[in-house]
C-alpha cells in the first residue's frame, strides 16, 4: 500500500509539471498571433498612408510643372514686349538724331507747315485742333499718333501741353511729360525739356520712362557745358538701373 501511495505521489507532481508548459505555450502562441495581426494592420495602414502621400506628391509635381510652363511662357512674352519697346525707343532716338542733324544744317528741326486737322464735329476747338470734349484716352492717343504715325512733331507739343492741362491726374501724365521733354529736346529747347524730364524723375519714380529721363538730363547738362552735372546724372542711371539699355548708354558717355 505504501508503495502504491508513493507511486501516486510521484506520478501526480509529474503530471502537473508536464501540463504546465503546454498551457503556457498555448497562451504565448495566441499572444504572438495577436501581435503579428496587429503589426500587419499597422503595416497596411502605413502603406496606405504612404501611397496617399505619393499620390499627393505626384499631383503637386504635376501642378508645379504646369505652373513652371505657364511662368516660362509669360516670361517669354514679357521679354518679347520689352524687346519691342527697346526697338521702338531706339527708333525714336534715331529719328530724333536725324532731325537734329537736319536742323543743324538747315536751321530748323521741324517743319511748321503741317498742322493738326481741326475736329469740325465738336462744338469748340482749341488752337491745336483738339476738341474740348475729347476723352482722356482719345486725347492721349491722338497726341501720340502725331509723333509716331503722322510725324507732326510741331503739332504734338501743344497737343501734349493741352493734355497735361486738361488731365492733371491722368495715369498717362508721366508719359506726356516725357514726350514733351523729348520733342523739346529734339528742338534744342533744353531748358523747357529739362523741366519735363525732371518732373518725371521727381514726381513719378515708378515710371518706365524715368531711366531715359535721367539719361536725357545728363545729355542736356553735357550740351550746356555742365560736365560735372552730366557725370552725376549718368552715374545715377547706372546705379539705379544697372541692367537697362539706358545704363549702357550712360556708361558709354562716362567713358
Amino acid at each position: 500500500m505504501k508503495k502504491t501511495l508513493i507511486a501516486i505521489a510521484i506520478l501526480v507532481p509529474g503530471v502537473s509539471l508536464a501540463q504546465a508548459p503546454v498551457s503556457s505555450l498555448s497562451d504565448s502562441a495566441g499572444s504572438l498571433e495577436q501581435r503579428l495581426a496587429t503589426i500587419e494592420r499597422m503595416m497596411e495602414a502605413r502603406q496606405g498612408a504612404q501611397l496617399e502621400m505619393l499620390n499627393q506628391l505626384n499631383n503637386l509635381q504635376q501642378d508645379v510643372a504646369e505652373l513652371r510652363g505657364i511662368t516660362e511662357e509669360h516670361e517669354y512674352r514679357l521679354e518679347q514686349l520689352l524687346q519691342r519697346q527697346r526697338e521702338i525707343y531706339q527708333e525714336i532716338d534715331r529719328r530724333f538724331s536725324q532731325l537734329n542733324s537736319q536742323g543743324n544744317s538747315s536751321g530748323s528741326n521741324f517743319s511748321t507747315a503741317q498742322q493738326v486737322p481741326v475736329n469740325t464735329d465738336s462744338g469748340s476747338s482749341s488752337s491745336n485742333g483738339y476738341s474740348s470734349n475729347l476723352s482722356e484716352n482719345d486725347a492721349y492717343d491722338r497726341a501720340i499718333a502725331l509723333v509716331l504715325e503722322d510725324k507732326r512733331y510741331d503739332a504734338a507739343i501743344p497737343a501734349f501741353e493741352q493734355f497735361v492741362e486738361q488731365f492733371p491726374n491722368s495715369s498717362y501724365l508721366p508719359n506726356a511729360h516725357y514726350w514733351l521733354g523729348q520733342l523739346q529736346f529734339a528742338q534744342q529747347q533744353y531748358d523747357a525739356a529739362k523741366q519735363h524730364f525732371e518732373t518725371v524723375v521727381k514726381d513719378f519714380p515708378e515710371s518706365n520712362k524715368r531711366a531715359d529721363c535721367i539719361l536725357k538730363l545728363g545729355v542736356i547738362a553735357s550740351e550746356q557745358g555742365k560736365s560735372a552735372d552730366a557725370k552725376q546724372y549718368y552715374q545715377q542711371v547706372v546705379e539705379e538701373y544697372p541692367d537697362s539699355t539706358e545704363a549702357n548708354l550712360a556708361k558709354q558717355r562716362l567713358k
Side-chain angles (χ1 to χ4, degrees), residues 110-173:
F110 296 106
S111 171
T112 58
Q114 295 173 309
Q115 299 294 331
V116 182
V118 176
N119 186 349
T120 57
D121 295 334
S122 58
S124 62
S125 61
S126 62
S127 60
N128 64 5
Y130 268 178
S131 168
S132 60
N133 63 1
L134 281 175
S135 70
E136 176 183 342
N137 289 334
D138 289 340
Y140 182 77
D141 289 343
R142 191 170 296 188
I144 282 291
L146 290 172
V147 178
L148 300 182
E149 297 177 11
D150 300 336
K151 299 178 178 60
R152 297 178 178 177
Y153 307 111
D154 58 319
I157 291 178
F160 279 114
E161 287 176 340
Q162 181 176 348
F163 179 86
V164 170
E165 181 180 353
Q166 288 186 345
F167 305 100
N169 298 319
S170 171
S171 59
Y172 301 126
L173 196 62

Side-chain angles (χ1 to χ4, degrees), residues 221-242:
S222 179
E223 291 291 331
Q224 293 179 335
K226 301 176 182 179
S227 301
D229 291 344
K231 182 178 180 180
Q232 184 177 353
Y233 283 123
Y234 297 147
Q235 289 175 338
Q236 183 179 355
V237 176
V238 174
E239 291 173 2
E240 296 186 16
Y241 304 93

Side-chain angles (χ1 to χ4, degrees), residues 100-113:
N100 279 333
S101 299
Q102 295 173 1
N104 291 334
S105 60
S106 64
S108 175
N109 285 306
F110 296 106
S111 171
T112 58

Side-chain angles (χ1 to χ4, degrees), residues 4 9 17-18 26 30 38 47-48 53 105-106 135 156 163 171 205-206 208 252:
T4 303
L17 290 173
S26 177
T38 301
Q47 289 176 353
M53 290 179 64
S105 60
S106 64
S135 70
F163 179 86
S171 59
E206 302 300 324
N208 59 1
Q252 294 176 9

Side-chain angles (χ1 to χ4, degrees), residues 9-35:
I10 294 173
L11 288 173
V12 170
V15 171
S16 176
L17 290 173
Q19 289 178 346
V22 172
S23 176
S24 177
L25 288 174
S26 177
D27 292 341
S28 299
S31 176
L32 180 60
E33 289 178 356
Q34 291 176 355
R35 290 181 181 180

Side-chain angles (χ1 to χ4, degrees), residues 196-215:
H196 291 292
F197 290 141
E198 286 179 341
T199 297
V200 177
V201 173
K202 295 178 181 178
D203 297 344
F204 304 97
E206 302 300 324
S207 172
N208 59 1
K209 306 291 193 301
R210 187 172 181 272
D212 193 38
C213 288
I214 300 174
L215 179 67

